[in-house]
Amino acid sequence: MADRKLITRAFLWLAVLVGGPLLGAKLFDLLVLAGAWSATPPQSLAMMPYGKAWPVDTGVFFIPFSAAMLIAGFGALIAGWRTPWHYRWLLCLPSIGILLLLILTVVAFWPMNAALYYHGIHSPKDTITDAQSIAMTRQWISLDWLRVAGATAAFVAPLRALTLPWPAEVAAKDPPIVRLVLALALIGVAAFIVWFISNL
């Protein structure tokens, strides 16, 4: 039990140390970078931080930090799985939260980023009108506040778990069906991570 406590707390510390910069960078990205390129679409879309004009892609920062957060979150959740639910829910937030944010990024933001970028540079791949670009920019900003909220929860939950005393009681062993569902869920997460990395 002591080993599980040490491992869980080590992963929680990693989540906090990675989650703080991740949250700060997400706020900077939304308020400064997105604030600039979303100011007066479609003209301001030319300032989107992609393409040859930008030597560093924001993904160079966000992808490794998000991966570290995913590892830290699931590491803490797996190591601390036998803790009671009044503590375990704090271990669920970073792992499930970052996973859902990555899925949201792939499903919603990747297509919008491409559409807005192509429209901003007047690419032959452009498929939207000026009016659609304005509406899409507003939607992008609104949805990005969800990512900020998720990053906040993923940072605050492990921080809160570290400030609470380690639970003395051990949760009952899960029935076989629950363990099977958990194993399938972890396989699904691993498959998504492999797919995500292969599509970068």
Coordinates of all heavy atoms in Angstrom, one line a residue, residues 104-185:
L104 N -11.4 16.5 -28.2 CA -12.0 17.7 -28.7 C -11.1 18.4 -29.7 O -11.6 19.0 -30.7 CB -12.4 18.6 -27.5 CG -12.9 20.0 -27.9 CD1 -14.3 19.9 -28.5 CD2 -13.0 20.9 -26.6
T105 N -9.8 18.5 -29.4 CA -8.9 19.1 -30.3 C -8.9 18.5 -31.7 O -8.9 19.1 -32.7 CB -7.5 19.1 -29.7 OG1 -7.5 19.8 -28.4 CG2 -6.4 19.6 -30.6
V106 N -8.8 17.1 -31.7 CA -8.8 16.4 -33.0 C -10.1 16.6 -33.7 O -10.1 16.9 -34.9 CB -8.5 14.9 -32.7 CG1 -8.7 14.1 -34.0 CG2 -7.1 14.7 -32.2
V107 N -11.2 16.4 -33.0 CA -12.5 16.5 -33.7 C -13.0 17.9 -34.1 O -13.5 18.0 -35.2 CB -13.6 15.8 -32.8 CG1 -15.0 16.0 -33.3 CG2 -13.3 14.3 -32.6
A108 N -12.7 18.8 -33.3 CA -13.2 20.2 -33.6 C -12.2 21.2 -34.0 O -12.3 21.9 -35.0 CB -13.9 20.8 -32.3
F109 N -11.0 21.2 -33.3 CA -10.1 22.3 -33.6 C -9.2 22.0 -34.8 O -8.9 22.9 -35.6 CB -9.2 22.5 -32.4 CG -9.9 23.3 -31.3 CD1 -10.6 22.6 -30.3 CD2 -9.9 24.6 -31.3 CE1 -11.2 23.3 -29.3 CE2 -10.6 25.3 -30.3 CZ -11.2 24.7 -29.3
W110 N -8.8 20.8 -35.0 CA -8.0 20.5 -36.2 C -8.7 20.9 -37.5 O -8.1 21.6 -38.3 CB -7.5 19.0 -36.3 CG -6.4 18.7 -35.3 CD1 -5.8 19.6 -34.4 CD2 -5.6 17.5 -35.2 NE1 -4.8 18.9 -33.7 CE2 -4.7 17.7 -34.2 CE3 -5.7 16.3 -35.9 CZ2 -3.8 16.6 -33.8 CZ3 -4.9 15.3 -35.5 CH2 -3.9 15.5 -34.5
P111 N -9.9 20.5 -37.7 CA -10.6 20.9 -39.0 C -10.8 22.5 -39.0 O -10.6 23.1 -40.1 CB -12.0 20.2 -38.9 CG -11.8 19.1 -37.9 CD -10.8 19.5 -37.0
M112 N -11.1 23.1 -37.9 CA -11.3 24.6 -37.9 C -10.0 25.3 -38.2 O -9.9 26.2 -38.9 CB -11.9 25.0 -36.6 CG -13.4 24.8 -36.5 SD -14.2 25.7 -35.1 CE -13.4 24.9 -33.7
N113 N -8.9 24.8 -37.5 CA -7.6 25.4 -37.8 C -7.2 25.4 -39.3 O -6.8 26.4 -39.8 CB -6.5 24.6 -37.0 CG -6.6 24.9 -35.5 OD1 -7.3 25.8 -35.0 ND2 -5.8 24.1 -34.8
A114 N -7.4 24.2 -39.9 CA -7.1 24.1 -41.3 C -8.0 25.0 -42.1 O -7.5 25.7 -43.0 CB -7.3 22.6 -41.8
A115 N -9.3 25.0 -41.9 CA -10.2 25.8 -42.7 C -9.9 27.3 -42.5 O -9.9 28.1 -43.5 CB -11.7 25.6 -42.3
L116 N -9.7 27.8 -41.3 CA -9.4 29.2 -41.1 C -8.0 29.6 -41.6 O -7.9 30.7 -42.2 CB -9.5 29.5 -39.6 CG -10.8 29.4 -38.9 CD1 -10.7 29.5 -37.4 CD2 -11.8 30.5 -39.5
Y117 N -7.0 28.7 -41.5 CA -5.7 29.0 -42.0 C -5.7 29.1 -43.5 O -5.2 30.1 -44.1 CB -4.7 27.9 -41.6 CG -3.3 28.1 -42.2 CD1 -2.5 29.2 -41.8 CD2 -2.9 27.2 -43.1 CE1 -1.3 29.3 -42.4 CE2 -1.6 27.4 -43.7 CZ -0.8 28.4 -43.3 OH 0.4 28.6 -43.9
Y118 N -6.4 28.2 -44.2 CA -6.4 28.2 -45.7 C -7.2 29.4 -46.1 O -6.8 30.1 -47.2 CB -7.1 26.9 -46.2 CG -6.2 25.7 -46.1 CD1 -6.8 24.5 -45.7 CD2 -4.9 25.7 -46.2 CE1 -6.1 23.3 -45.6 CE2 -4.1 24.6 -46.1 CZ -4.7 23.4 -45.8 OH -3.9 22.3 -45.6
H119 N -8.2 29.8 -45.4 CA -9.0 31.0 -45.8 C -8.1 32.3 -45.6 O -8.2 33.2 -46.4 CB -10.3 31.1 -45.0 CG -11.2 32.2 -45.5 ND1 -11.9 32.0 -46.7 CD2 -11.6 33.4 -45.0 CE1 -12.7 33.1 -46.9 NE2 -12.5 33.9 -45.9
G120 N -7.4 32.3 -44.5 CA -6.6 33.5 -44.2 C -5.4 33.7 -45.2 O -5.1 34.9 -45.4
I121 N -4.9 32.6 -45.8 CA -3.8 32.8 -46.7 C -4.3 32.7 -48.2 O -3.5 32.7 -49.1 CB -2.7 31.8 -46.5 CG1 -3.2 30.3 -46.7 CG2 -2.1 31.9 -45.1 CD1 -2.0 29.3 -46.8
H122 N -5.6 32.6 -48.4 CA -6.2 32.5 -49.7 C -5.7 31.3 -50.5 O -5.3 31.4 -51.7 CB -6.0 33.8 -50.5 CG -6.4 35.0 -49.7 ND1 -7.7 35.3 -49.4 CD2 -5.6 36.0 -49.2 CE1 -7.7 36.5 -48.7 NE2 -6.5 36.9 -48.6
S123 N -5.6 30.2 -49.8 CA -5.1 29.0 -50.4 C -6.1 28.4 -51.4 O -7.4 28.5 -51.2 CB -4.8 27.9 -49.3 OG -4.7 26.6 -49.8
P124 N -5.7 27.6 -52.4 CA -6.6 26.9 -53.2 C -7.4 25.9 -52.5 O -8.5 25.4 -52.9 CB -5.7 26.2 -54.2 CG -4.4 26.9 -54.2 CD -4.3 27.5 -52.8
K125 N -6.9 25.5 -51.3 CA -7.7 24.5 -50.4 C -8.8 25.2 -49.6 O -9.5 24.5 -48.9 CB -6.7 23.8 -49.5 CG -5.6 23.0 -50.2 CD -4.7 22.3 -49.2 CE -3.6 21.5 -49.8 NZ -2.7 20.9 -48.8
D126 N -8.9 26.5 -49.7 CA -9.9 27.3 -49.0 C -11.3 26.8 -49.4 O -11.7 26.7 -50.6 CB -9.8 28.7 -49.3 CG -10.8 29.6 -48.5 OD1 -11.4 29.1 -47.5 OD2 -11.0 30.8 -48.9
T127 N -12.2 26.5 -48.4 CA -13.5 26.0 -48.7 C -14.6 26.8 -48.0 O -15.8 26.4 -48.0 CB -13.6 24.5 -48.2 OG1 -13.4 24.5 -46.8 CG2 -12.7 23.6 -48.9
I128 N -14.3 27.9 -47.3 CA -15.3 28.7 -46.6 C -15.3 30.1 -47.1 O -14.4 30.6 -47.7 CB -15.0 28.7 -45.1 CG1 -13.6 29.3 -44.7 CG2 -15.1 27.2 -44.5 CD1 -13.3 29.4 -43.2
T129 N -16.5 30.8 -46.8 CA -16.7 32.2 -47.2 C -16.2 33.1 -46.0 O -15.9 32.6 -44.9 CB -18.1 32.4 -47.4 OG1 -18.9 32.3 -46.2 CG2 -18.7 31.5 -48.5
D130 N -16.1 34.4 -46.3 CA -15.8 35.3 -45.3 C -16.7 35.2 -44.1 O -16.3 35.2 -42.9 CB -15.8 36.8 -45.8 CG -14.5 37.0 -46.7 OD1 -13.6 36.2 -46.8 OD2 -14.5 38.1 -47.3
A131 N -18.0 35.2 -44.4 CA -19.0 35.1 -43.3 C -18.9 33.8 -42.5 O -19.0 33.8 -41.3 CB -20.4 35.1 -43.9
Q132 N -18.6 32.7 -43.1 CA -18.3 31.5 -42.4 C -17.1 31.5 -41.6 O -17.0 31.0 -40.5 CB -18.2 30.3 -43.4 CG -19.5 29.9 -44.0 CD -19.4 28.9 -45.1 OE1 -18.4 28.9 -45.9 NE2 -20.3 27.9 -45.2
S133 N -16.0 32.2 -42.1 CA -14.8 32.4 -41.3 C -15.0 33.2 -40.0 O -14.4 32.9 -39.0 CB -13.7 33.0 -42.2 OG -13.9 34.4 -42.3
I134 N -15.9 34.2 -40.1 CA -16.2 35.0 -38.9 C -16.9 34.2 -37.9 O -16.6 34.2 -36.7 CB -17.0 36.3 -39.3 CG1 -16.2 37.2 -40.2 CG2 -17.6 37.0 -38.1 CD1 -17.0 38.3 -40.9
A135 N -17.9 33.4 -38.3 CA -18.7 32.5 -37.4 C -17.8 31.4 -36.8 O -17.9 31.1 -35.7 CB -19.9 31.9 -38.2
M136 N -16.9 30.9 -37.7 CA -16.1 29.8 -37.2 C -15.0 30.3 -36.2 O -14.7 29.7 -35.2 CB -15.3 29.2 -38.4 CG -14.6 27.9 -38.1 SD -13.8 27.1 -39.5 CE -15.3 26.5 -40.4
T137 N -14.6 31.5 -36.4 CA -13.6 32.1 -35.5 C -14.3 32.3 -34.1 O -13.7 32.0 -33.1 CB -13.1 33.5 -36.0 OG1 -12.4 33.3 -37.2 CG2 -12.2 34.2 -35.0
R138 N -15.5 32.8 -34.1 CA -16.3 33.0 -32.8 C -16.4 31.6 -32.1 O -16.3 31.5 -30.9 CB -17.6 33.6 -33.1 CG -17.5 35.1 -33.4 CD -18.9 35.7 -33.5 NE -18.8 37.1 -34.0 CZ -19.5 37.5 -35.0 NH1 -20.4 36.8 -35.6 NH2 -19.4 38.8 -35.4
Q139 N -16.8 30.6 -32.9 CA -17.0 29.2 -32.4 C -15.6 28.7 -31.8 O -15.6 28.1 -30.7 CB -17.5 28.3 -33.5 CG -17.8 26.9 -33.0 CD -18.2 25.9 -34.1 OE1 -17.9 26.2 -35.2 NE2 -18.8 24.9 -33.7
W140 N -14.5 29.0 -32.5 CA -13.2 28.5 -32.1 C -12.9 29.1 -30.7 O -12.5 28.4 -29.8 CB -12.2 29.0 -33.1 CG -10.8 28.3 -33.0 CD1 -10.3 27.3 -33.7 CD2 -9.8 28.6 -32.0 NE1 -9.1 26.9 -33.3 CE2 -8.7 27.7 -32.3 CE3 -9.7 29.5 -31.0 CZ2 -7.5 27.7 -31.5 CZ3 -8.5 29.5 -30.2 CH2 -7.4 28.6 -30.5
I141 N -13.1 30.4 -30.6 CA -12.8 31.1 -29.3 C -13.7 30.6 -28.2 O -13.2 30.3 -27.1 CB -13.0 32.7 -29.4 CG1 -12.0 33.2 -30.5 CG2 -12.9 33.4 -28.1 CD1 -10.5 33.1 -30.1
S142 N -15.0 30.4 -28.4 CA -15.9 29.9 -27.4 C -15.5 28.5 -27.0 O -15.4 28.2 -25.8 CB -17.3 29.8 -28.0 OG -17.8 31.1 -28.3
L143 N -15.2 27.6 -27.9 CA -14.7 26.2 -27.6 C -13.4 26.2 -26.9 O -13.2 25.4 -26.0 CB -14.7 25.4 -28.9 CG -16.0 24.8 -29.4 CD1 -15.7 24.1 -30.7 CD2 -16.6 23.9 -28.4
D144 N -12.5 27.2 -27.2 CA -11.2 27.2 -26.5 C -11.3 27.5 -25.1 O -10.5 27.1 -24.3 CB -10.3 28.2 -27.2 CG -8.8 27.8 -27.1 OD1 -8.6 26.6 -27.1 OD2 -8.0 28.7 -26.9
W145 N -12.4 28.2 -24.7 CA -12.6 28.5 -23.2 C -12.9 27.1 -22.5 O -12.6 27.0 -21.4 CB -13.7 29.5 -23.0 CG -13.2 30.9 -23.1 CD1 -13.5 31.8 -24.2 CD2 -12.3 31.6 -22.3 NE1 -12.8 33.0 -24.0 CE2 -12.1 32.9 -22.8 CE3 -11.7 31.2 -21.1 CZ2 -11.3 33.8 -22.2 CZ3 -10.8 32.2 -20.5 CH2 -10.6 33.4 -21.0
L146 N -13.5 26.2 -23.3 CA -13.7 24.8 -22.7 C -12.4 24.2 -22.4 O -12.2 23.5 -21.4 CB -14.5 24.0 -23.7 CG -16.0 24.0 -23.6 CD1 -16.6 23.1 -24.7 CD2 -16.6 23.8 -22.3
R147 N -11.4 24.4 -23.3 CA -10.1 23.8 -23.1 C -9.4 24.4 -21.9 O -8.7 23.8 -21.2 CB -9.2 23.9 -24.4 CG -9.7 23.0 -25.5 CD -8.6 22.8 -26.6 NE -8.3 24.0 -27.4 CZ -7.5 23.9 -28.5 NH1 -7.1 22.8 -28.9 NH2 -7.3 25.0 -29.1
V148 N -9.6 25.7 -21.8 CA -9.0 26.4 -20.6 C -9.6 25.9 -19.3 O -8.9 25.6 -18.3 CB -9.2 27.9 -20.7 CG1 -8.9 28.6 -19.4 CG2 -8.4 28.5 -21.8
A149 N -11.0 25.7 -19.3 CA -11.6 25.1 -18.1 C -11.1 23.7 -17.8 O -10.9 23.4 -16.7 CB -13.1 25.1 -18.3
G150 N -11.0 22.9 -18.9 CA -10.5 21.5 -18.7 C -9.1 21.5 -18.2 O -8.7 20.7 -17.3
A151 N -8.2 22.4 -18.7 CA -6.8 22.5 -18.3 C -6.8 22.9 -16.8 O -5.9 22.5 -16.0 CB -6.0 23.4 -19.2
T152 N -7.7 23.8 -16.4 CA -7.8 24.3 -15.0 C -8.1 23.1 -14.1 O -7.5 22.9 -13.1 CB -8.8 25.4 -14.9 OG1 -8.4 26.5 -15.7 CG2 -8.9 25.9 -13.4
A153 N -9.1 22.4 -14.5 CA -9.6 21.2 -13.7 C -8.5 20.2 -13.6 O -8.2 19.6 -12.5 CB -10.8 20.6 -14.3
A154 N -7.8 19.9 -14.7 CA -6.7 18.9 -14.7 C -5.5 19.4 -13.9 O -4.7 18.5 -13.5 CB -6.2 18.7 -16.2
F155 N -5.3 20.7 -13.7 CA -4.3 21.2 -12.8 C -4.7 21.2 -11.3 O -3.9 20.8 -10.4 CB -3.9 22.6 -13.3 CG -2.9 23.3 -12.3 CD1 -1.7 22.8 -12.0 CD2 -3.3 24.4 -11.7 CE1 -0.8 23.5 -11.2 CE2 -2.5 25.1 -10.8 CZ -1.2 24.6 -10.5
V156 N -5.9 21.7 -11.1 CA -6.4 21.8 -9.7 C -6.6 20.5 -9.0 O -6.3 20.3 -7.8 CB -7.6 22.7 -9.7 CG1 -8.3 22.8 -8.3 CG2 -7.3 24.2 -10.1
A157 N -7.2 19.5 -9.7 CA -7.5 18.2 -9.1 C -6.3 17.5 -8.5 O -6.4 17.1 -7.3 CB -8.2 17.3 -10.1
P158 N -5.2 17.3 -9.2 CA -4.1 16.7 -8.6 C -3.5 17.5 -7.5 O -3.0 17.0 -6.5 CB -3.1 16.5 -9.7 CG -3.5 17.4 -10.8 CD -5.0 17.6 -10.7
L159 N -3.5 18.8 -7.6 CA -3.0 19.7 -6.5 C -3.9 19.5 -5.3 O -3.3 19.4 -4.2 CB -3.1 21.2 -7.0 CG -2.4 22.2 -6.1 CD1 -1.0 21.9 -5.9 CD2 -2.7 23.6 -6.7
R160 N -5.2 19.4 -5.4 CA -6.1 19.2 -4.3 C -5.8 17.8 -3.7 O -5.8 17.6 -2.5 CB -7.5 19.3 -4.7 CG -8.5 19.0 -3.6 CD -8.4 20.0 -2.5 NE -9.4 19.7 -1.5 CZ -9.2 19.8 -0.2 NH1 -8.0 20.2 0.2 NH2 -10.1 19.5 0.7
A161 N -5.6 16.8 -4.6 CA -5.3 15.4 -4.1 C -4.1 15.4 -3.3 O -4.0 14.6 -2.3 CB -5.2 14.4 -5.3
L162 N -3.1 16.2 -3.6 CA -1.8 16.2 -2.9 C -1.9 16.8 -1.5 O -1.2 16.5 -0.6 CB -0.7 16.9 -3.7 CG -0.1 16.1 -4.9 CD1 0.7 17.1 -5.7 CD2 0.7 15.0 -4.3
T163 N -2.9 17.7 -1.4 CA -3.1 18.4 -0.1 C -4.0 17.7 0.9 O -4.0 18.0 2.0 CB -3.7 19.8 -0.3 OG1 -5.0 19.7 -0.9 CG2 -2.8 20.7 -1.2
L164 N -4.7 16.6 0.4 CA -5.5 15.8 1.2 C -4.7 14.7 1.8 O -3.7 14.2 1.2 CB -6.7 15.2 0.4 CG -7.7 16.2 0.0 CD1 -8.7 15.5 -0.9 CD2 -8.5 16.8 1.2
P165 N -5.0 14.2 3.0 CA -4.3 13.0 3.6 C -4.6 11.8 2.7 O -5.7 11.7 2.2 CB -4.9 12.9 5.0 CG -6.1 13.8 5.1 CD -6.0 14.8 3.9
W166 N -3.7 10.9 2.6 CA -3.8 9.7 1.9 C -4.9 8.8 2.6 O -4.8 8.6 3.8 CB -2.5 8.9 1.8 CG -2.6 7.7 1.0 CD1 -2.7 6.4 1.5 CD2 -2.7 7.5 -0.4 NE1 -2.8 5.5 0.5 CE2 -2.8 6.2 -0.7 CE3 -2.7 8.4 -1.5 CZ2 -2.9 5.7 -2.0 CZ3 -2.7 7.9 -2.8 CH2 -2.8 6.6 -3.0
P167 N -5.9 8.3 1.9 CA -7.0 7.6 2.6 C -6.4 6.3 3.2 O -5.7 5.6 2.6 CB -7.9 7.2 1.4 CG -7.6 8.1 0.3 CD -6.1 8.5 0.5
A168 N -6.9 6.1 4.5 CA -6.5 4.9 5.2 C -7.2 3.7 4.7 O -6.6 2.6 4.7 CB -6.7 5.1 6.7
E169 N -8.4 3.8 4.3 CA -9.2 2.7 3.9 C -8.9 2.3 2.4 O -8.5 3.2 1.6 CB -10.7 2.9 4.1 CG -11.3 4.0 3.2 CD -11.3 5.4 3.8 OE1 -10.4 5.6 4.6 OE2 -12.2 6.2 3.5
V170 N -9.1 1.0 2.1 CA -8.8 0.5 0.7 C -10.2 0.2 0.2 O -11.0 -0.5 0.8 CB -7.9 -0.7 0.7 CG1 -7.7 -1.2 -0.7 CG2 -6.5 -0.3 1.3
A171 N -10.5 0.6 -1.0 CA -11.8 0.3 -1.7 C -11.8 -1.2 -2.0 O -10.8 -1.9 -2.2 CB -11.9 1.1 -3.0
A172 N -13.0 -1.8 -2.0 CA -13.2 -3.2 -2.3 C -12.8 -3.5 -3.7 O -12.8 -2.6 -4.6 CB -14.7 -3.5 -2.1
K173 N -12.3 -4.7 -3.9 CA -11.9 -5.1 -5.3 C -13.1 -5.0 -6.2 O -14.2 -5.4 -5.9 CB -11.3 -6.5 -5.2 CG -10.4 -6.8 -6.4 CD -9.6 -8.1 -6.1 CE -8.6 -8.3 -7.2 NZ -7.8 -9.5 -6.9
D174 N -12.8 -4.5 -7.4 CA -13.9 -4.4 -8.4 C -14.3 -5.8 -8.9 O -13.5 -6.6 -9.1 CB -13.4 -3.5 -9.6 CG -13.2 -2.1 -9.2 OD1 -14.0 -1.5 -8.5 OD2 -12.1 -1.6 -9.6
P175 N -15.6 -5.9 -9.3 CA -16.0 -7.2 -9.9 C -15.4 -7.4 -11.2 O -14.9 -6.4 -11.9 CB -17.6 -7.0 -10.0 CG -17.9 -5.6 -9.6 CD -16.7 -5.0 -9.0
P176 N -15.3 -8.6 -11.7 CA -14.7 -8.9 -13.0 C -15.2 -8.1 -14.2 O -14.4 -7.7 -15.0 CB -14.9 -10.4 -13.2 CG -15.2 -11.0 -11.8 CD -15.8 -9.9 -11.0
I177 N -16.5 -7.8 -14.2 CA -17.0 -7.1 -15.3 C -16.5 -5.6 -15.3 O -16.2 -5.1 -16.4 CB -18.6 -7.1 -15.3 CG1 -19.1 -6.5 -16.6 CG2 -19.1 -6.4 -14.1 CD1 -18.9 -7.2 -17.9
V178 N -16.3 -5.0 -14.2 CA -15.8 -3.7 -14.1 C -14.3 -3.7 -14.5 O -13.9 -2.8 -15.2 CB -16.0 -3.1 -12.6 CG1 -15.2 -1.8 -12.5 CG2 -17.4 -3.0 -12.3
R179 N -13.6 -4.7 -14.1 CA -12.2 -4.8 -14.5 C -12.0 -5.0 -16.0 O -11.1 -4.4 -16.6 CB -11.5 -5.9 -13.7 CG -11.1 -5.5 -12.3 CD -10.4 -6.6 -11.5 NE -11.4 -7.5 -11.0 CZ -11.1 -8.7 -10.5 NH1 -9.8 -9.1 -10.5 NH2 -12.0 -9.5 -10.0
L180 N -13.0 -5.7 -16.6 CA -12.9 -5.9 -18.0 C -13.2 -4.6 -18.7 O -12.5 -4.3 -19.7 CB -14.0 -7.0 -18.4 CG -14.1 -7.2 -19.9 CD1 -12.8 -7.8 -20.5 CD2 -15.3 -8.2 -20.2
V181 N -14.2 -3.9 -18.3 CA -14.6 -2.6 -18.9 C -13.4 -1.6 -18.8 O -13.0 -0.9 -19.7 CB -15.8 -2.0 -18.2 CG1 -16.0 -0.5 -18.7 CG2 -17.0 -2.8 -18.6
L182 N -12.7 -1.6 -17.6 CA -11.6 -0.7 -17.4 C -10.4 -1.1 -18.3 O -9.8 -0.3 -18.9 CB -11.1 -0.8 -15.9 CG -12.0 -0.1 -14.9 CD1 -11.5 -0.4 -13.5 CD2 -12.0 1.4 -15.1
A183 N -10.2 -2.4 -18.5 CA -9.1 -2.9 -19.4 C -9.4 -2.5 -20.8 O -8.5 -2.0 -21.5 CB -9.0 -4.4 -19.3
L184 N -10.7 -2.6 -21.2 CA -11.1 -2.2 -22.6 C -10.9 -0.7 -22.8 O -10.5 -0.2 -23.8 CB -12.5 -2.7 -22.9 CG -12.7 -4.2 -23.0 CD1 -14.2 -4.5 -23.2 CD2 -11.9 -4.7 -24.2
A185 N -11.3 0.0 -21.7 CA -11.1 1.5 -21.8 C -9.7 1.9 -21.9 O -9.3 2.8 -22.7 CB -11.7 2.1 -20.5

